[in-house]
């Protein structure tokens, strides 16, 4: 099987450079229009697909990002491995602005988003006990180190609805009581949907600030965030440039089973499945349907 790397770029990361045969392509999805066209090409001999999560020009808020359409579109392009790159705040002194965190756990506090491809007429339950792919996360960590980035392997990401930043009370709750490490607005339901689509998913959280808990930093300053975003975006592009060599052009089955997440997930009996839902999920779940 051929590797095809999909990169979902967050705030500040709206393109990747150096692709051979670079082309922006429109992908139709039964879940609506994706955030933008998808930049395709080859990098280091490996197929790549880049999707700006917020759209070029940053037109989507965290709540309006069409998460289902984005994951469905990447699956339709043959993507095997998805790397999420996103800005976040830090709850840990040692996780400083400019550092990257390879997230391995989430607490989902979003409430205004469609969180599953499945539903009435075609019911399925996947496990997200371990919502990211360790193999892919390890490759991202190595790529970050090669790019000269201070990287922390492992961390819990609090996904909030936004678009406002946290209150001081919320920030303290997430840090001191819940034990979260970083906070952001976009990795959920993205990670859940990637699992339903049987895609390996890794989350690279780029720290821009200390949220509001830090006594020496106080409230989040958007001007400081934007300044840090610029530097982080350059680091993110350097990380992505290393991935084709680390992952290689040939793709073996995922040792952690990400690409087989639907093996026992669909509960609706074949004769009871809604034909319209079956057709709609052709890309996401066609392997098991």
């Amino acid at each position: 099987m051929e590797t095809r790397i999909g990169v979902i770029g967050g705030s500040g990361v709206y393109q990747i450079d150096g692709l051979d045969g670079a082309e922006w392509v429109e992908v139709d999805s039964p879940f609506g229009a994706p955030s933008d066209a998808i930049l395709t090409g080859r990098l280091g001999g490996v197929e790549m697909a880049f999707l700006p999560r917020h759209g070029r020009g940053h037109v989507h808020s965290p709540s309006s990002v069409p998460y289902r359409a984005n994951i469905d579109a990447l699956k339709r392009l043959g993507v095997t491995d998805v790397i999420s790159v996103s800005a976040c705040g830090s709850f840990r002194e040692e996780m400083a602005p400019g550092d990257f965190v390879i997230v391995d756990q989430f607490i989902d506090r979003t409430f205004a988003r469609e969180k599953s491809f499945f539903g009435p007429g075609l019911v399925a339950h996947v496990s997200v006990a371990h919502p990211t792919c360790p193999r892919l996360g390890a490759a991202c960590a190595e790529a970050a180190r090669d790019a000269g980035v201070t990287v922390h392997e492992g961390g819990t990401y609090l996904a909030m609805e936004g678009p406002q930043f946290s209150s001081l009370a919320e920030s303290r709750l997430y840090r001191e009581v819940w034990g979260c490490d970083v906070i952001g607005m976009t990795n959920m339901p993205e990670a859940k949907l990637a699992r339903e689509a049987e895609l390996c998913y890794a989350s690279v959280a780029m720290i821009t600030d200390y949220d509001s808990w830090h006594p020496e930093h106080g409230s989040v300053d958007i001007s400081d965030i934007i300044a840090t975003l610029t530097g982080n975006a350059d680091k993110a592009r350097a990380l992505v440039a290393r991935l084709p060599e680390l992952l290689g052009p040939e793709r073996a089955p995922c040792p952690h089973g990400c690409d087989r997440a639907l093996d026992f997930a669909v509960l609706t009996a074949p004769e009871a499945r809604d034909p319209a839902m079956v057709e709609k999920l052709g890309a996401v779940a066609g392997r098991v349907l």
Side-chain angles (χ1 to χ4, degrees), residues 101-248:
V101 179
I102 309 302
V103 173
D104 61 355
Q105 284 294 329
F106 297 98
I107 294 177
D108 186 1
R109 296 286 291 168
T110 64
F111 54 82
R113 310 170 189 191
E114 293 287 348
K115 299 191 179 187
S116 178
F117 290 110
F118 298 91
L122 188 52
V123 176
H125 301 279
V126 299
S127 172
V128 288
H130 301 284
T132 63
C133 177
R135 173 192 63 87
L136 195 55
C140 290
E142 184 174 348
R145 286 191 293 268
D146 290 347
V149 179
T150 299
V151 60
H152 307 268
E153 293 188 70
T156 297
Y157 177 121
L158 188 289
M160 64 183 298
E161 186 63 46
Q164 301 85 0
F165 296 115
S166 304
S167 70
L168 177 57
E170 289 170 332
S171 191
R172 287 173 173 168
L173 171 71
Y174 302 150
R175 165 182 150 83
E176 297 169 13
V177 182
W178 290 3
C180 299
D181 299 297
V182 295
I183 184 168
M185 302 179 188
T186 57
N187 276 199
M188 282 291 167
E190 193 174 84
K192 292 176 176 175
L193 294 167
R195 179 57 50 83
E196 287 188 344
E198 299 190 319
L199 296 173
C200 290
Y201 181 90
S203 170
V204 179
M206 308 181 299
I207 297 174
T208 60
D209 61 272
Y210 276 119
D211 206 52
S212 57
W213 67 270
H214 200 293
E216 296 178 12
H217 292 269
S219 61
V220 176
D221 188 317
I222 192 66
S223 62
D224 290 342
I225 287 178
I226 292 172
T228 307
L229 272 176
T230 302
N232 281 353
D234 291 337
K235 296 175 186 177
R237 283 188 282 270
L239 181 158
V240 169
R242 278 287 288 132
L243 289 174
E245 182 179 352
L246 292 172
L247 295 175

Side-chain angles (χ1 to χ4, degrees), residues 53-78:
R53 183 186 285 112
H54 297 281
R56 285 167 289 178
H58 205 111
V59 297
H60 283 289
S61 77
S63 298
S64 73
V65 169
Y67 295 97
R68 294 195 299 178
N70 287 349
I71 294 297
D72 179 78
L74 291 174
K75 181 80 172 185
R76 288 176 186 276
L77 285 176

Side-chain angles (χ1 to χ4, degrees), residues 15 38 69 119 137 156 181 197 202 273:
Q15 64 178 25
I38 299 175
T156 297
D181 299 297
R273 295 171 186 171

